[in-house]
Amino acid sequence: MMSQINLYYPLWKRYLPVFAIQLKKALSEEQEINFTKSDFHNLGNRNKSDYSFSLEIENGKVKNNISGSAVARDLYDLLISDAKTKELLQGNHFKFSLGKAYILKIVSLKANNV
């Protein structure tokens, strides 16, 4: 299944500068990034299923099981491969979640449970 590797990289890479800004902002309030179905559809092969996922990152490490989600794995790989976003992930605890409406929510879990 070599074709499955980093299928969503182009999409996440386009938004990398946005992620850096949103991660900073998420420390004080929940952030949302709106995507469209075609953003994922054009890359993915999940015609009838949705792309929902939840990705929890604490101190730069994944805290939940994302092995079944290529979308989440690619997002994580890209975030930690970029110096700016990797630095923001260190020492923080974020949750990224994408729902059926294609809205990616970024929440700082550290701020919420101090």
Side-chain angles (χ1 to χ4, degrees):
M1 296 288 273
M2 289 302 285
S3 63
Q4 300 299 70
I5 295 178
N6 304 136
L7 215 51
Y8 303 96
Y9 240 62
L11 171 64
W12 296 135
K13 204 169 174 65
R14 253 199 340 257
Y15 284 88
L16 196 55
V18 180
F19 288 132
I21 296 162
Q22 300 288 55
L23 281 168
K24 270 192 193 121
K25 287 184 176 174
L27 292 170
S28 51
E29 61 179 355
E30 179 180 305
Q31 297 300 307
E32 291 186 353
I33 303 173
N34 291 292
F35 292 93
T36 64
K37 186 177 185 173
S38 63
D39 283 330
F40 294 93
H41 227 58
N42 294 341
L43 299 167
N45 52 0
R46 298 180 171 190
N47 296 335
K48 53 199 174 298
S49 79
D50 67 88
Y51 297 88
S52 302
F53 70 85
S54 181
L55 166 63
E56 209 176 303
I57 305 173
E58 188 174 16
N59 294 321
K61 305 259 187 293
V62 178
K63 297 292 287 178
N64 60 323
N65 184 358
I66 56 166
S67 62
S69 174
V71 189
R73 283 197 312 272
D74 284 359
L75 174 57
Y76 175 71
D77 288 347
L78 189 69
L79 290 171
I80 58 159
S81 70
D82 178 73
K84 199 184 264 181
T85 49
K86 185 178 183 178
E87 192 181 323
L88 288 162
L89 293 171
Q90 297 295 338
N92 286 303
H93 190 176
F94 291 103
K95 183 176 178 187
F96 296 79
S97 52
L98 185 77
K100 286 180 168 49
Y102 303 99
I103 297 171
L104 180 70
K105 295 185 176 171
I106 306 173
V107 183
S108 168
L109 298 177
K110 200 173 191 183
N112 298 342
N113 51 21
V114 173

